């Protein structure tokens, strides 16, 4: 049975136990950042600064168990700086109740809406003040023992998403 509460600081190996990746174009993928974290020294990173895959996407997925939880929520820390101009990326959080056959989008932020820092034409590494905590309601997904949660990077050669 899956845990009902997951706290992942990415301090162990990458990809953490119980997490998987889906790589749409077999190009870049989520990786471990050992130099930046909101509440730890590490985090998940997608390097959109060096990778331009023409708006393809890559998912970092895990499963949640919402059995017995009323009004479940998903809370996560994010850091992002746009490169500038037309170069901007998007983070989407989706859920699936059928093992990834179909997904429902619950969070979609890109560009200035996603940004936690001013535009940066260098490889973005956030400092402690450049993180934001976002919360998503999982209302309507109560009592689901196998809820897939997917953090989707939609890349357009902007900058790093953590």
């Amino acid at each position: 049975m899956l845990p009902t509460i997951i706290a992942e600081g990415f301090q162990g190996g990458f990809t953490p136990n119980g997490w998987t990746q889906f790589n749409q174009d077999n190009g870049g993928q989520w990786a471990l950042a050992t130099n930046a974290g909101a509440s730890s020294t590490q985090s998940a990173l997608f390097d959109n600064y060096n990778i331009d895959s023409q708006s393809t996407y890559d998912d970092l997925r895990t499963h949640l168990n919402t059995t017995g939880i009323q009004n479940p929520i998903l809370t996560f820390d994010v850091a992002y700086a746009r490169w500038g101009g037309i170069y901007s990326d998007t983070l989407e959080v989706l859920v699936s109740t059928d093992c990834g056959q179909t997904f429902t989008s619950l969070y979609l932020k890109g560009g200035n809406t996603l940004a936690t820092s001013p535009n940066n034409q260098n490889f973005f590494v956030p400092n402690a003040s450049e993180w934001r905590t976002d919360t998503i309601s999982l209302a309507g997904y109560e009592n689901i023992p196998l809820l897939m949660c997917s953090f989707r990077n939609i890349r357009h050669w902007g900058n790093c998403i953590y």
Side-chain angles (χ1 to χ4, degrees):
M1 183 163 203
L2 296 170
T4 55
I5 297 175
I6 297 174
E8 182 56 60
F10 300 100
Q11 296 299 298
F14 199 85
T15 310
N17 287 338
W19 293 68
T20 59
Q21 294 202 51
F22 176 81
N23 188 330
Q24 184 186 34
D25 67 350
N26 294 320
Q29 62 184 16
W30 288 93
L32 180 65
T34 59
N35 59 346
S39 57
S40 65
T41 58
Q42 298 185 161
S43 58
L45 154 73
F46 201 98
D47 178 4
N48 293 303
Y49 181 82
N50 290 302
I51 301 167
D52 178 21
S53 295
Q54 303 300 314
S55 300
T56 62
Y57 66 87
D58 295 278
D59 293 356
L60 184 58
R61 298 175 176 175
T62 192
H63 290 92
L64 308 172
N65 177 359
T66 62
T67 303
I69 301 175
Q70 292 184 334
N71 301 314
I73 59 170
L74 173 66
T75 302
F76 61 96
D77 297 313
V78 62
Y80 176 68
R82 292 179 63 237
W83 189 90
I86 63 169
Y87 304 108
S88 171
D89 309 294
T90 300
L91 180 66
E92 185 173 20
V93 179
L94 309 104
V95 293
S96 174
T97 59
D98 58 11
C99 295
Q101 297 299 309
T102 61
F103 286 93
T104 300
S105 178
L106 301 179
Y107 172 103
L108 182 67
K109 289 186 179 182
N112 289 328
T113 304
L114 179 62
T116 61
S117 179
N119 290 357
N120 186 337
Q121 283 75 48
N122 297 306
F123 187 95
F124 174 61
V125 178
N127 63 42
S129 68
E130 295 174 311
W131 289 86
R132 177 181 68 232
T133 300
D134 283 350
T135 301
I136 301 169
S137 171
L138 297 177
Y141 295 97
E142 294 92 349
N143 295 311
I144 298 177
L146 191 61
L147 180 65
M148 179 184 284
C149 178
S150 183
F151 293 85
R152 178 169 289 172
N153 174 70
I154 304 168
R155 44 196 163 159
H156 191 67
W157 213 9
N159 213 322
C160 300
I161 294 178
Y162 295 82

